Amino acid sequence: MIIRFSHFAMSVSLALSSIVCFAQKAPRNGDPKLTEYWDPAVRVVTPGKTNADPPSDAIVLFDGKDLSKWKSDNDGSAAKWKIEGNAMVVVKGAGNISTKEAFGDCQLHIEWRTPAEVVGESQGRGNSGIFLMGKYELQVLDSYNNRTYSNGQAGSIYKQFPPLVNASRGPGEWQTYDIIFTAPMFYADGALKSPARITVFHNGVLVQNNTTIWGATQYVGTPNYEPHASKEPLILQDHGNPVAYRNIWIRPI
Amino acid sequence: MIIRFSHFAMSVSLALSSIVCFAQKAPRNGDPKLTEYWDPAVRVVTPGKTNADPPSDAIVLFDGKDLSKWKSDNDGSAAKWKIEGNAMVVVKGAGNISTKEAFGDCQLHIEWRTPAEVVGESQGRGNSGIFLMGKYELQVLDSYNNRTYSNGQAGSIYKQFPPLVNASRGPGEWQTYDIIFTAPMFYADGALKSPARITVFHNGVLVQNNTTIWGATQYVGTPNYEPHASKEPLILQDHGNPVAYRNIWIRPI
Amino acid sequence: MIIRFSHFAMSVSLALSSIVCFAQKAPRNGDPKLTEYWDPAVRVVTPGKTNADPPSDAIVLFDGKDLSKWKSDNDGSAAKWKIEGNAMVVVKGAGNISTKEAFGDCQLHIEWRTPAEVVGESQGRGNSGIFLMGKYELQVLDSYNNRTYSNGQAGSIYKQFPPLVNASRGPGEWQTYDIIFTAPMFYADGALKSPARITVFHNGVLVQNNTTIWGATQYVGTPNYEPHASKEPLILQDHGNPVAYRNIWIRPI
Amino acid sequence: MIIRFSHFAMSVSLALSSIVCFAQKAPRNGDPKLTEYWDPAVRVVTPGKTNADPPSDAIVLFDGKDLSKWKSDNDGSAAKWKIEGNAMVVVKGAGNISTKEAFGDCQLHIEWRTPAEVVGESQGRGNSGIFLMGKYELQVLDSYNNRTYSNGQAGSIYKQFPPLVNASRGPGEWQTYDIIFTAPMFYADGALKSPARITVFHNGVLVQNNTTIWGATQYVGTPNYEPHASKEPLILQDHGNPVAYRNIWIRPI
């Protein structure tokens, strides 16, 4: 009661005091320079010719010519996927391929194409995957008129989050993922400090909006986090289907 | 001490018990269907012909033909900017223009071009702005070889956050912003519940990464939040320079 | 190359220009009132006598006297747990109890005690649970020198996240949870817009730090989100052990 | 049209197929062990005798006896505040004091008391401050029936965010802050990677809920981030008023 009364009293006193009343809103007359700062200067990056082309500070992981930035994830030998046109194509049985370089937080552009000839259904049709840090899978699948479990279709964080919408193009068409990835962080004792997060545009349409990832992708059972380095290689999956990739570039952020 | 000892004892007992030891990691043998769900099904959106074209669920705010989706922000009369080619161009003195429709959380694609002929410097050169919800300004400026305060250049949240990098194209060239915007939320008593957040790609390069906005943009003094509706019109600024806009579409999310 | 050169040139010109150099940092001389605002005024809340006591704006869900704010979650009849001293105690077979009122975002204080006489082990010992919105379980368990799976011990988001540390008191001792809970949000089509988040102090020690919850708690299989109202009742679990609760209060935020 | 038709067709086929229909929801029959993991084990922390007392892993910065963990922030000499009872009290003109140790992410408990005899008003009354990392100020002020600018009262992030509510106790009474602080991170080139965040309970009442901090506190002009180390000393402010502190402990997290 006392508190309320004193507030009432204060309101009255404020109402009587034009000077104080005038001060109620943040003032908008004054020196605009007080909210301007010039340092640090912002680093210049030359954008690509189109928005799909690599900007000047990107690391080009595949430019259509060779697999020199990649190795077999099985044994570290040369990557055995094949080059067709300006694309690299999964060779069934050649296994997953991994970048030689490791990455943490990044912006990643990658283009992919499932086979024009539709074979199989659900997870059997045009299946591959992009493993950020080799652990967190963004699903690649022919999800055009191909129903599967929602948390396993194209644009999903596999077995975790469905995409917000299904923005798939058809089989045989090139599709794009534009990705912002934030790496997880761990305490010294191995406990999770902050989980991985991901934003994905599929063919220009937002399908993951700063999604919090649950842990390393698992086919069976619960995903969970186990501590790992702050940078890990990017892995592309051989799931037995001749999925093609092209124009892959990454910007550490 | 007791606690530590009992842990040590437990560790020993675990080491001696192969059955319990086996259970230490989450098991990976079992029914994979336990982590698959089909409902709800994911809504289908047909992507644009290119990633810059509007997807099937986008609201096209400007398609190059007319200003029917816009009005004068001064008095609600017809928007008085001019159409040139497939662009709409700021008419000095015509004032800011506002969408007739209101928006909250959204994905926004917008293209803009500063004059090919460079006039002025710093903030005087090719200046306009995109006000999300009519309040939170993403700066539009000719920032190509044009130094100004860092928190006022192209890609900045004006007078708040500089862009991560300067990814500007030159004067007279078309540039793009691809934006994810999350509206602020307010408690019933007007206090801020959660601030606005924004992610921006400038010409395909990440320049704002889930940035937390401080409040409505202010030229003088501190930004702060005042409660407003969950949807508000988008506003484009007449800053006196003949900046052009084209291909504007928005997806409420 | 040209860009880099021009930057170099600009740096030189800046170094030569003391006026511009002076402007590089945000100025700190000027009117301090430009960053002060008085409106809206901040609502007054009288804190409890101790930090464990309910503040003036809290809804007291249990004050030690009766179960008038609770009902059976099975059939909506009167809650059949028993009152002992200033506590309410799980009656085996009486089933879960639910608040009559529904809550969304909130600060929740709750005290609990597992039986002084230790019976059973792992999940069998002093087991109960607090289901925020009736769906998202913060585990209650006697985890004092009682090893169980990490994502199932006291302070865990059950079958999702282990606590950061095990801050348990012993059997028969009163323990506290101080909780900040943010409700999930859903799109009109049922898709998840933003997940639930939770911060928990266990006996004054931080054990969940703005943790993102994966979905409604599940004993078998993957948690996932299904759309629900923005406010839902709080539920306390009958897991068959005579766990006691007292001093429960909640502040919608 | 084709897409819609095929979806309709699929719905029909699903309705006819009880097996597939059964699979629509994530199954809840199966092995519960698939979502349990035992490693890593959770570290044990013994909580304090009360929730205000330091847990076993806390660094006690002031236990009522001496200023051995503190130094003058002016010149690094011995801290010149005085000990009275179990408290340390600001000595006007002695200047700010700083911890000898540096901290980043942390849980911080701190108790403070403004003078029982009220002198002055607004910012002149019982003013001090807690600078996390020496830069980000959580305001300490006698805000009991003492109106000042909202973003400058007790519980505010000074000149940035007002507290959610005013949970002040009166002059001469001990008050508590329980704080979760997340340090900002910076890119190698000095740009901000992620801002500082803070959660604060004032006398047990939530007043800052994972608030994003704008930058180092400034009395005049815009706050902004300048890169600094991941750990920095904690500073307490001499604002000329004899504010007292006691029972200060911190847990790096």
Side-chain angles (χ1 to χ4, degrees), chain D residues 198-214:
Chain D
I198 193 166
T199 292
V200 181
F201 293 83
H202 183 193
N203 299 323
V205 181
L206 183 69
V207 294
Q208 298 288 345
N209 187 4
N210 200 33
T211 300
T212 300
I213 295 178
W214 296 352

Side-chain angles (χ1 to χ4, degrees), chain C residues 204, chain D residues 51-55 58-61 107-109 247-251:
Chain D
N51 289 358
D53 292 316
I59 297 165
V60 176
L61 293 174
Q107 175 185 354
L108 173 64
H109 176 90
N247 190 22
I248 311 173
W249 50 265
I250 193 167
R251 296 178 61 242

Side-chain angles (χ1 to χ4, degrees), chain C residues 29-107:
Chain C
N29 292 310
D31 184 0
K33 286 195 171 49
L34 294 176
T35 46
E36 299 166 5
Y37 61 91
W38 295 61
D39 281 335
V42 175
R43 181 167 59 91
V44 172
V45 169
T46 306
K49 191 172 175 184
T50 75
N51 289 358
D53 292 315
S56 59
D57 66 344
I59 297 164
V60 176
L61 293 175
F62 181 66
D63 65 358
K65 296 189 188 113
D66 61 55
L67 295 170
S68 59
K69 301 289 180 65
W70 301 82
K71 60 182 180 181
S72 163
D73 186 48
N74 292 335
D75 57 11
S77 64
K80 294 174 191 66
W81 293 14
K82 63 184 167 187
I83 307 289
E84 287 184 357
N86 63 348
M88 62 185 194
V89 183
V90 173
V91 171
K92 187 174 178 175
N96 297 346
I97 63 171
S98 160
T99 55
K100 294 176 180 172
E101 196 171 344
F103 304 99
D105 298 358
C106 63
Q107 175 186 352

